[in-house]
């Protein structure tokens, strides 16, 4: 799936020379956060769009078949039916984009979705998530197992050490091996931006990940101290845009970690629209990695429909 297997060395030479203008990035991020977001029915429409782009996630040490069961049911019916009916959106097939779980829980998710007659994709984090500090052999094996259990999307983590020490070719080779292990499954490459040190490293890692055949690049595991931030997202989106201009190939973007409010989801959608354009405003090219975001979006939709705010116990939780 790599686009330039024959001229990797030549392609990676320029990577070393890239520099990112930090002040310009921070200024752009400030501008985005200061912009007005849609209100009333336009806001409700954007929030439903955000719902369809969520990878509804649980990555806890105490995950069990029963909370995976609840997660899947919530992903299939993310907003209460009566609320959707009042908006005349009950028959539009609104679901989240996918559910995202640990490899050992993939089979549980597949079983429930099959029983519910749902074709919702199951994404799984593999490759020694979240640190990527297990041997390469083990990480590849994990991908094979998740795919064998039915995951059609794999969220891999890169080896941060290769970025921090500037080993771009080794990073490229490693991601290519993950790409191969994913087979037909979509590969989302997590950069763990909070551990890469500089915007320049984020840009370089983004480019290498795309050159090695990633379908998406993703900000974070959600387990780092710093997760999805707007400045880093701008750097990654510019990389996606430049890659598209050079190759004609569209790579998706997934912010993850710490995205909790409906208001934030509107800022993310606005940023995507302005930086990458309307083509990216769909689950095929944009995902929000989140576990608690959906609850707040549903509360905002409840408010739009009823004029009142729901108590948290009034809305079913994953």
């Amino acid at each position: 799936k790599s686009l330039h297997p024959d001229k990797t060395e030549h392609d990676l030479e320029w990577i070393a020379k890239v520099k990112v203008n930090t002040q310009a990035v921070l200024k752009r991020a400030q501008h985005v956060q200061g912009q007005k977001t849609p209100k009333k029915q336009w806001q409700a429409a954007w929030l439903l769009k955000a719902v369809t782009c969520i990878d509804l996630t649980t990555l806890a040490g105490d995950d069990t078949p029963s909370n995976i069961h609840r997660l899947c049911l919530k992903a299939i019916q993310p907003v209460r039916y009566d609320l959707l009916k009042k908006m005349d959106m009950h028959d539009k097939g609104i679901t989240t984009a996918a559910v995202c779980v640990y490899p050992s829980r993939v089979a549980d998710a597949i079983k429930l979705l099959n029983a519910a007659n749902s074709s919702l994709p199951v994404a799984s984090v593999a490759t020694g998530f979240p640190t990527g500090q297990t041997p390469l052999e083990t990480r590849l094996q994990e991908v094979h197992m998740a795919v064998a259990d039915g995951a059609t999307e794999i969220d891999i983590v890169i080896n941060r050490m290769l970025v921090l020490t500037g080993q771009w070719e080794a990073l490229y080779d490693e991601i290519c091996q993950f790409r191969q292990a994913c087979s037909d499954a979509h590969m989302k490459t997590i950069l763990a931006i909070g551990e890469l040190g500089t915007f320049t490293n984020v840009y370089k890692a983004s480019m290498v990940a795309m050159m090695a055949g990633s379908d998406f690049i993703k900000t974070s595991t959600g387990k780092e101290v710093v997760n999805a931030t707007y400045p880093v997202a701008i750097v990654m989106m510019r990389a996606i845009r430049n890659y598209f201009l050079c190759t004609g190939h569209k790579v998706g973007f997934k912010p993850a970690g710490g995205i909790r409010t409906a208001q934030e989801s509107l800022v993310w959608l606005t940023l995507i629209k302005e930086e990458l354009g309307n083509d990216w405003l769909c689950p095929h090219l944009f995902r929000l990695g989140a576990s608690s975001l959906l609850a707040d979006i549903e509360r905002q939709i409840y408010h739009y429909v009823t004029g009142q705010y729901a108590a948290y116990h009034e809305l079913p939780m994953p």
Side-chain angles (χ1 to χ4, degrees):
K1 268 245 179 150
S2 159
L3 294 175
H4 316 291
D6 51 337
K7 50 189 180 80
T8 312
E9 279 179 51
H10 169 69
D11 279 350
L12 293 175
E13 268 171 30
W14 66 269
I15 291 272
K17 302 186 182 85
V18 170
K19 291 275 187 297
V20 172
N21 182 338
T22 301
Q23 288 313 312
V25 170
L26 294 175
K27 196 173 171 187
R28 172 78 178 112
Q30 213 173 357
H31 172 72
V32 168
Q33 284 168 272
Q35 281 179 301
K36 287 187 167 65
T37 49
K39 295 286 180 269
K40 300 183 179 166
Q41 69 266 40
W42 295 280
Q43 185 184 84
W46 275 69
L47 289 176
L48 287 180
K49 165 66 82 177
V51 167
T52 66
C53 294
I54 291 175
D55 280 355
L56 195 60
T57 304
T58 182
L59 298 169
D62 57 0
D63 282 340
T64 59
S66 64
N67 76 310
I68 300 297
H69 185 109
R70 285 203 307 279
L71 187 86
C72 291
L73 291 176
K74 187 67 182 168
I76 294 167
Q77 179 73 62
V79 179
R80 243 171 52 179
Y81 182 81
D82 58 312
L83 300 177
L84 289 177
K85 196 157 171 45
K86 285 196 175 136
M87 297 165 77
D88 200 24
M89 294 296 287
H90 57 292
D91 55 356
K92 302 289 188 289
I94 287 177
T95 67
T96 66
V99 293
C100 184
V101 297
Y102 274 119
S104 55
R105 299 267 74 92
V106 168
D108 295 331
I110 294 284
K111 189 175 165 188
L112 187 279
L113 292 168
N114 286 344
N117 206 13
S118 168
S119 58
L120 206 67
V122 174
S124 185
V125 295
T127 68
F129 182 93
T131 60
Q133 289 284 14
T134 52
L136 180 59
E137 189 95 357
T138 315
R139 285 179 280 151
L140 289 166
Q141 190 58 34
E142 214 178 347
V143 176
H144 285 300
M145 287 164 73
V147 171
D149 277 349
T152 52
E153 302 182 2
I154 303 291
D155 290 29
I156 66 159
V157 287
I158 64 167
N159 182 343
R160 277 70 117 186
M161 184 270 290
L162 297 176
V163 174
L164 294 169
T165 53
Q167 297 182 61
W168 304 112
E169 211 160 319
L171 179 65
Y172 175 86
D173 290 341
E174 212 166 87
I175 299 173
C176 281
Q177 289 185 62
F178 294 144
R179 170 70 272 170
Q180 219 170 350
C182 284
S183 188
D184 293 337
H186 270 241
M187 185 171 81
K188 306 193 202 94
T189 300
I190 307 171
L191 304 182
I193 49 87
E195 296 174 351
L196 298 189
T198 64
F199 287 154
T200 297
N201 275 350
V202 169
Y203 187 90
K204 291 176 178 181
S206 299
M207 275 296 179
V208 173
M210 291 187 285
M211 287 162 65
S214 305
D215 295 294
F216 268 75
I217 51 175
K218 174 177 168 182
T219 59
S220 325
T221 64
K223 310 287 186 188
E224 295 92 46
V225 178
V226 177
N227 293 298
T229 64
Y230 301 121
V232 158
I234 288 163
V235 173
M236 291 172 69
M237 288 181 202
R238 296 282 167 98
I240 289 171
R241 190 164 80 192
N242 290 346
Y243 188 73
F244 172 63
L245 292 173
C246 289
T247 67
H249 186 68
K250 292 175 182 167
V251 174
F253 175 70
K254 178 177 173 179
I259 302 168
R260 295 192 177 90
T261 68
Q263 185 59 31
E264 283 173 276
S265 71
L266 295 174
V267 178
W268 283 110
L269 286 169
T270 304
L271 193 53
I272 283 282
K273 185 178 169 66
E274 291 188 0
E275 288 289 328
L276 293 170
N278 289 339
D279 282 4
W280 266 264
L281 278 177
C282 66
H284 185 60
L285 289 168
F286 176 62
R287 299 288 177 86
L288 285 156
S291 49
S292 55
L293 169 66
L294 181 55
D296 194 55
I297 290 181
E298 199 177 9
R299 288 186 85 225
Q300 297 304 324
I301 289 170
Y302 182 98
H303 180 257
Y304 167 71
V305 170
T306 67
Q308 299 169 320
Y309 279 108
Y312 273 106
H313 68 264
E314 290 183 74
L315 298 170
M317 301 297 280

